[in-house]
Amino acid sequence: MNITWLGHASFRIEIAGAVLLIDPWLNGNPSFPDDQRDAAIAGTTHILLTHGHGDHASEVQQIARDTGAPVYGIVELMGAIADNGIETVGFNKGGTVDLNGAHVTMVNAVHSSSFDGPDGTRVAGTECGFMIAGEGKTIYFSGDTDIMADMDWMGDLHKPDIGILCAGGFYTMDMGRAAYAAKRYFNFSTVIPCHYGTFDALAQDAQVMRDALPGVDVLTPAVMETTTL
């Protein structure tokens, strides 16, 4: 599989027969180079959305139009963003969808979920994460979250090898808390931190996580750098 960080909390994951974009925020993302947009979205088969905040979802409708890819996420949010030019598939926590051989299960997260509309702020569904299984491996994509007790059974049931964990602090768990969750609840061989470095309020590097997870391959790829696992 190939995992490409698109900056902030946005990723491109090529797994099984799927090319997934997760929380694709490119336009306006200070970490993402504008001239790489076409390369980032090329060949996309499906889009996954963890929640409605603008730094995750504000561009999803345009990217869905540009790629023709359906958007998958929690039912209420999919209903809120659907229009004639977009195919959406709403499912819910505990549900699994087969995306060209990549099996994606929606799992819990602890955060908030809203977006700005013509009538003000609107809440649509709740936040989530994903377990993405394919090619004999499972990725835990945390979405925006803090540590939560649900990580105990999630780690035991899904046994993810790879953790893509929000870790910037302020809006989500920070590097130390994410490392604590990784050690207590999971047995990752590889961890990729995200949701950091974008704004001044967030952690600017992953050294705290790296120091706290000896024996785990903590990867900090550059934006648009592809990691093959």
Side-chain angles (χ1 to χ4, degrees), residues 77-103:
L77 181 57
M78 295 302 96
I81 68 170
D83 65 24
N84 292 333
I86 298 173
E87 178 186 353
T88 61
V89 179
F91 64 125
N92 218 311
K93 296 171 186 179
T96 301
V97 291
D98 182 348
L99 308 183
N100 294 2
H103 293 85

PDB file of all heavy atoms in Angstrom, residues 77-103:
ATOM      1  N   LEU A  77     -24.076  13.810   8.037  1.00  0.00           N
ATOM      2  CA  LEU A  77     -23.169  14.701   7.314  1.00  0.00           C
ATOM      3  C   LEU A  77     -23.268  14.467   5.812  1.00  0.00           C
ATOM      4  O   LEU A  77     -23.250  15.417   5.025  1.00  0.00           O
ATOM      5  CB  LEU A  77     -21.734  14.488   7.804  1.00  0.00           C
ATOM      6  CG  LEU A  77     -20.658  15.360   7.157  1.00  0.00           C
ATOM      7  CD1 LEU A  77     -20.984  16.841   7.317  1.00  0.00           C
ATOM      8  CD2 LEU A  77     -19.288  15.040   7.729  1.00  0.00           C
ATOM      9  N   MET A  78     -23.403  13.206   5.404  1.00  0.00           N
ATOM     10  CA  MET A  78     -23.544  12.924   3.977  1.00  0.00           C
ATOM     11  C   MET A  78     -24.830  13.532   3.428  1.00  0.00           C
ATOM     12  O   MET A  78     -24.857  14.071   2.311  1.00  0.00           O
ATOM     13  CB  MET A  78     -23.525  11.412   3.726  1.00  0.00           C
ATOM     14  CG  MET A  78     -22.195  10.732   4.060  1.00  0.00           C
ATOM     15  SD  MET A  78     -20.762  11.406   3.163  1.00  0.00           S
ATOM     16  CE  MET A  78     -20.098  12.567   4.370  1.00  0.00           C
ATOM     17  N   GLY A  79     -25.888  13.482   4.211  1.00  0.00           N
ATOM     18  CA  GLY A  79     -27.129  14.117   3.774  1.00  0.00           C
ATOM     19  C   GLY A  79     -27.002  15.622   3.658  1.00  0.00           C
ATOM     20  O   GLY A  79     -27.597  16.245   2.772  1.00  0.00           O
ATOM     21  N   ALA A  80     -26.191  16.214   4.527  1.00  0.00           N
ATOM     22  CA  ALA A  80     -26.045  17.670   4.522  1.00  0.00           C
ATOM     23  C   ALA A  80     -25.226  18.176   3.345  1.00  0.00           C
ATOM     24  O   ALA A  80     -25.456  19.283   2.857  1.00  0.00           O
ATOM     25  CB  ALA A  80     -25.402  18.119   5.832  1.00  0.00           C
ATOM     26  N   ILE A  81     -24.246  17.375   2.869  1.00  0.00           N
ATOM     27  CA  ILE A  81     -23.391  17.860   1.784  1.00  0.00           C
ATOM     28  C   ILE A  81     -23.825  17.370   0.411  1.00  0.00           C
ATOM     29  O   ILE A  81     -23.308  17.841  -0.605  1.00  0.00           O
ATOM     30  CB  ILE A  81     -21.913  17.472   2.016  1.00  0.00           C
ATOM     31  CG1 ILE A  81     -21.706  15.954   1.894  1.00  0.00           C
ATOM     32  CG2 ILE A  81     -21.414  17.989   3.359  1.00  0.00           C
ATOM     33  CD1 ILE A  81     -20.239  15.551   1.877  1.00  0.00           C
ATOM     34  N   ALA A  82     -24.760  16.444   0.357  1.00  0.00           N
ATOM     35  CA  ALA A  82     -25.167  15.883  -0.928  1.00  0.00           C
ATOM     36  C   ALA A  82     -25.834  16.941  -1.797  1.00  0.00           C
ATOM     37  O   ALA A  82     -26.586  17.779  -1.326  1.00  0.00           O
ATOM     38  CB  ALA A  82     -26.122  14.716  -0.705  1.00  0.00           C
ATOM     39  N   ASP A  83     -25.519  16.916  -3.076  1.00  0.00           N
ATOM     40  CA  ASP A  83     -26.257  17.715  -4.050  1.00  0.00           C
ATOM     41  C   ASP A  83     -26.241  16.960  -5.372  1.00  0.00           C
ATOM     42  O   ASP A  83     -25.755  15.840  -5.456  1.00  0.00           O
ATOM     43  CB  ASP A  83     -25.714  19.138  -4.166  1.00  0.00           C
ATOM     44  CG  ASP A  83     -24.285  19.197  -4.710  1.00  0.00           C
ATOM     45  OD1 ASP A  83     -23.859  18.257  -5.409  1.00  0.00           O
ATOM     46  OD2 ASP A  83     -23.601  20.196  -4.439  1.00  0.00           O
ATOM     47  N   ASN A  84     -26.755  17.561  -6.418  1.00  0.00           N
ATOM     48  CA  ASN A  84     -26.915  16.837  -7.678  1.00  0.00           C
ATOM     49  C   ASN A  84     -25.594  16.422  -8.317  1.00  0.00           C
ATOM     50  O   ASN A  84     -25.562  15.516  -9.145  1.00  0.00           O
ATOM     51  CB  ASN A  84     -27.717  17.686  -8.667  1.00  0.00           C
ATOM     52  CG  ASN A  84     -29.160  17.866  -8.245  1.00  0.00           C
ATOM     53  OD1 ASN A  84     -29.698  17.021  -7.540  1.00  0.00           O
ATOM     54  ND2 ASN A  84     -29.784  18.957  -8.645  1.00  0.00           N
ATOM     55  N   GLY A  85     -24.500  17.091  -7.952  1.00  0.00           N
ATOM     56  CA  GLY A  85     -23.233  16.763  -8.580  1.00  0.00           C
ATOM     57  C   GLY A  85     -22.370  15.814  -7.793  1.00  0.00           C
ATOM     58  O   GLY A  85     -21.235  15.539  -8.176  1.00  0.00           O
ATOM     59  N   ILE A  86     -22.879  15.295  -6.675  1.00  0.00           N
ATOM     60  CA  ILE A  86     -22.066  14.483  -5.774  1.00  0.00           C
ATOM     61  C   ILE A  86     -22.825  13.220  -5.373  1.00  0.00           C
ATOM     62  O   ILE A  86     -24.001  13.281  -5.030  1.00  0.00           O
ATOM     63  CB  ILE A  86     -21.706  15.260  -4.504  1.00  0.00           C
ATOM     64  CG1 ILE A  86     -20.880  16.498  -4.839  1.00  0.00           C
ATOM     65  CG2 ILE A  86     -20.923  14.398  -3.523  1.00  0.00           C
ATOM     66  CD1 ILE A  86     -20.638  17.382  -3.653  1.00  0.00           C
ATOM     67  N   GLU A  87     -22.127  12.098  -5.403  1.00  0.00           N
ATOM     68  CA  GLU A  87     -22.678  10.863  -4.847  1.00  0.00           C
ATOM     69  C   GLU A  87     -22.166  10.709  -3.431  1.00  0.00           C
ATOM     70  O   GLU A  87     -20.955  10.776  -3.180  1.00  0.00           O
ATOM     71  CB  GLU A  87     -22.249   9.665  -5.678  1.00  0.00           C
ATOM     72  CG  GLU A  87     -22.754   8.336  -5.125  1.00  0.00           C
ATOM     73  CD  GLU A  87     -22.212   7.134  -5.866  1.00  0.00           C
ATOM     74  OE1 GLU A  87     -21.542   7.318  -6.900  1.00  0.00           O
ATOM     75  OE2 GLU A  87     -22.451   6.002  -5.391  1.00  0.00           O
ATOM     76  N   THR A  88     -23.062  10.528  -2.475  1.00  0.00           N
ATOM     77  CA  THR A  88     -22.663  10.308  -1.091  1.00  0.00           C
ATOM     78  C   THR A  88     -23.217   8.974  -0.604  1.00  0.00           C
ATOM     79  O   THR A  88     -24.289   8.536  -1.031  1.00  0.00           O
ATOM     80  CB  THR A  88     -23.162  11.425  -0.163  1.00  0.00           C
ATOM     81  OG1 THR A  88     -24.588  11.466  -0.195  1.00  0.00           O
ATOM     82  CG2 THR A  88     -22.584  12.774  -0.566  1.00  0.00           C
ATOM     83  N   VAL A  89     -22.475   8.356   0.302  1.00  0.00           N
ATOM     84  CA  VAL A  89     -22.908   7.112   0.924  1.00  0.00           C
ATOM     85  C   VAL A  89     -22.788   7.299   2.427  1.00  0.00           C
ATOM     86  O   VAL A  89     -21.684   7.418   2.965  1.00  0.00           O
ATOM     87  CB  VAL A  89     -22.055   5.916   0.473  1.00  0.00           C
ATOM     88  CG1 VAL A  89     -22.520   4.627   1.165  1.00  0.00           C
ATOM     89  CG2 VAL A  89     -22.111   5.757  -1.041  1.00  0.00           C
ATOM     90  N   GLY A  90     -23.929   7.362   3.090  1.00  0.00           N
ATOM     91  CA  GLY A  90     -23.937   7.537   4.533  1.00  0.00           C
ATOM     92  C   GLY A  90     -24.027   6.200   5.235  1.00  0.00           C
ATOM     93  O   GLY A  90     -24.921   5.407   4.948  1.00  0.00           O
ATOM     94  N   PHE A  91     -23.069   5.942   6.128  1.00  0.00           N
ATOM     95  CA  PHE A  91     -23.183   4.760   6.984  1.00  0.00           C
ATOM     96  C   PHE A  91     -22.908   5.206   8.412  1.00  0.00           C
ATOM     97  O   PHE A  91     -22.998   6.390   8.712  1.00  0.00           O
ATOM     98  CB  PHE A  91     -22.325   3.603   6.494  1.00  0.00           C
ATOM     99  CG  PHE A  91     -20.820   3.784   6.486  1.00  0.00           C
ATOM    100  CD1 PHE A  91     -20.001   2.877   7.144  1.00  0.00           C
ATOM    101  CD2 PHE A  91     -20.200   4.815   5.770  1.00  0.00           C
ATOM    102  CE1 PHE A  91     -18.618   3.001   7.113  1.00  0.00           C
ATOM    103  CE2 PHE A  91     -18.823   4.935   5.730  1.00  0.00           C
ATOM    104  CZ  PHE A  91     -18.021   4.027   6.416  1.00  0.00           C
ATOM    105  N   ASN A  92     -22.648   4.291   9.329  1.00  0.00           N
ATOM    106  CA  ASN A  92     -22.560   4.705  10.727  1.00  0.00           C
ATOM    107  C   ASN A  92     -21.565   3.836  11.472  1.00  0.00           C
ATOM    108  O   ASN A  92     -21.014   2.872  10.919  1.00  0.00           O
ATOM    109  CB  ASN A  92     -23.937   4.668  11.399  1.00  0.00           C
ATOM    110  CG  ASN A  92     -24.127   5.816  12.369  1.00  0.00           C
ATOM    111  OD1 ASN A  92     -23.273   6.079  13.214  1.00  0.00           O
ATOM    112  ND2 ASN A  92     -25.254   6.517  12.261  1.00  0.00           N
ATOM    113  N   LYS A  93     -21.319   4.198  12.718  1.00  0.00           N
ATOM    114  CA  LYS A  93     -20.289   3.534  13.513  1.00  0.00           C
ATOM    115  C   LYS A  93     -20.616   2.049  13.682  1.00  0.00           C
ATOM    116  O   LYS A  93     -21.742   1.689  13.996  1.00  0.00           O
ATOM    117  CB  LYS A  93     -20.154   4.233  14.863  1.00  0.00           C
ATOM    118  CG  LYS A  93     -19.663   5.663  14.703  1.00  0.00           C
ATOM    119  CD  LYS A  93     -19.714   6.460  15.994  1.00  0.00           C
ATOM    120  CE  LYS A  93     -19.352   7.914  15.712  1.00  0.00           C
ATOM    121  NZ  LYS A  93     -19.410   8.765  16.920  1.00  0.00           N
ATOM    122  N   GLY A  94     -19.605   1.231  13.443  1.00  0.00           N
ATOM    123  CA  GLY A  94     -19.795  -0.209  13.436  1.00  0.00           C
ATOM    124  C   GLY A  94     -20.065  -0.771  12.056  1.00  0.00           C
ATOM    125  O   GLY A  94     -19.933  -1.974  11.837  1.00  0.00           O
ATOM    126  N   GLY A  95     -20.430   0.090  11.109  1.00  0.00           N
ATOM    127  CA  GLY A  95     -20.687  -0.351   9.742  1.00  0.00           C
ATOM    128  C   GLY A  95     -19.397  -0.469   8.951  1.00  0.00           C
ATOM    129  O   GLY A  95     -18.424   0.247   9.187  1.00  0.00           O
ATOM    130  N   THR A  96     -19.402  -1.403   8.001  1.00  0.00           N
ATOM    131  CA  THR A  96     -18.244  -1.645   7.146  1.00  0.00           C
ATOM    132  C   THR A  96     -18.670  -1.561   5.688  1.00  0.00           C
ATOM    133  O   THR A  96     -19.718  -2.095   5.316  1.00  0.00           O
ATOM    134  CB  THR A  96     -17.629  -3.030   7.413  1.00  0.00           C
ATOM    135  OG1 THR A  96     -17.233  -3.114   8.788  1.00  0.00           O
ATOM    136  CG2 THR A  96     -16.399  -3.275   6.534  1.00  0.00           C
ATOM    137  N   VAL A  97     -17.852  -0.890   4.874  1.00  0.00           N
ATOM    138  CA  VAL A  97     -18.089  -0.824   3.438  1.00  0.00           C
ATOM    139  C   VAL A  97     -16.880  -1.413   2.716  1.00  0.00           C
ATOM    140  O   VAL A  97     -15.742  -1.296   3.180  1.00  0.00           O
ATOM    141  CB  VAL A  97     -18.348   0.631   2.969  1.00  0.00           C
ATOM    142  CG1 VAL A  97     -19.684   1.128   3.506  1.00  0.00           C
ATOM    143  CG2 VAL A  97     -17.224   1.570   3.393  1.00  0.00           C
ATOM    144  N   ASP A  98     -17.153  -2.060   1.602  1.00  0.00           N
ATOM    145  CA  ASP A  98     -16.106  -2.655   0.768  1.00  0.00           C
ATOM    146  C   ASP A  98     -15.834  -1.697  -0.386  1.00  0.00           C
ATOM    147  O   ASP A  98     -16.676  -1.510  -1.263  1.00  0.00           O
ATOM    148  CB  ASP A  98     -16.570  -4.017   0.250  1.00  0.00           C
ATOM    149  CG  ASP A  98     -15.514  -4.737  -0.600  1.00  0.00           C
ATOM    150  OD1 ASP A  98     -14.511  -4.108  -0.989  1.00  0.00           O
ATOM    151  OD2 ASP A  98     -15.702  -5.935  -0.883  1.00  0.00           O
ATOM    152  N   LEU A  99     -14.653  -1.092  -0.379  1.00  0.00           N
ATOM    153  CA  LEU A  99     -14.276  -0.127  -1.400  1.00  0.00           C
ATOM    154  C   LEU A  99     -13.198  -0.752  -2.274  1.00  0.00           C
ATOM    155  O   LEU A  99     -12.008  -0.658  -1.985  1.00  0.00           O
ATOM    156  CB  LEU A  99     -13.774   1.176  -0.754  1.00  0.00           C
ATOM    157  CG  LEU A  99     -14.702   1.807   0.294  1.00  0.00           C
ATOM    158  CD1 LEU A  99     -14.122   3.113   0.803  1.00  0.00           C
ATOM    159  CD2 LEU A  99     -16.109   2.007  -0.257  1.00  0.00           C
ATOM    160  N   ASN A 100     -13.624  -1.454  -3.299  1.00  0.00           N
ATOM    161  CA  ASN A 100     -12.703  -2.117  -4.230  1.00  0.00           C
ATOM    162  C   ASN A 100     -11.701  -3.004  -3.502  1.00  0.00           C
ATOM    163  O   ASN A 100     -10.514  -3.046  -3.837  1.00  0.00           O
ATOM    164  CB  ASN A 100     -11.946  -1.086  -5.075  1.00  0.00           C
ATOM    165  CG  ASN A 100     -12.839  -0.315  -6.021  1.00  0.00           C
ATOM    166  OD1 ASN A 100     -14.051  -0.506  -6.032  1.00  0.00           O
ATOM    167  ND2 ASN A 100     -12.255   0.559  -6.826  1.00  0.00           N
ATOM    168  N   GLY A 101     -12.171  -3.725  -2.495  1.00  0.00           N
ATOM    169  CA  GLY A 101     -11.301  -4.643  -1.766  1.00  0.00           C
ATOM    170  C   GLY A 101     -10.708  -4.069  -0.501  1.00  0.00           C
ATOM    171  O   GLY A 101     -10.126  -4.818   0.297  1.00  0.00           O
ATOM    172  N   ALA A 102     -10.821  -2.780  -0.280  1.00  0.00           N
ATOM    173  CA  ALA A 102     -10.427  -2.173   0.989  1.00  0.00           C
ATOM    174  C   ALA A 102     -11.666  -2.134   1.883  1.00  0.00           C
ATOM    175  O   ALA A 102     -12.681  -1.534   1.520  1.00  0.00           O
ATOM    176  CB  ALA A 102      -9.885  -0.769   0.777  1.00  0.00           C
ATOM    177  N   HIS A 103     -11.598  -2.794   3.021  1.00  0.00           N
ATOM    178  CA  HIS A 103     -12.748  -2.868   3.915  1.00  0.00           C
ATOM    179  C   HIS A 103     -12.611  -1.797   4.990  1.00  0.00           C
ATOM    180  O   HIS A 103     -11.678  -1.824   5.798  1.00  0.00           O
ATOM    181  CB  HIS A 103     -12.856  -4.263   4.530  1.00  0.00           C
ATOM    182  CG  HIS A 103     -13.193  -5.314   3.521  1.00  0.00           C
ATOM    183  ND1 HIS A 103     -12.230  -5.940   2.742  1.00  0.00           N
ATOM    184  CD2 HIS A 103     -14.382  -5.823   3.120  1.00  0.00           C
ATOM    185  CE1 HIS A 103     -12.813  -6.799   1.925  1.00  0.00           C
ATOM    186  NE2 HIS A 103     -14.118  -6.745   2.133  1.00  0.00           N
TER     187      HIS A 103
END
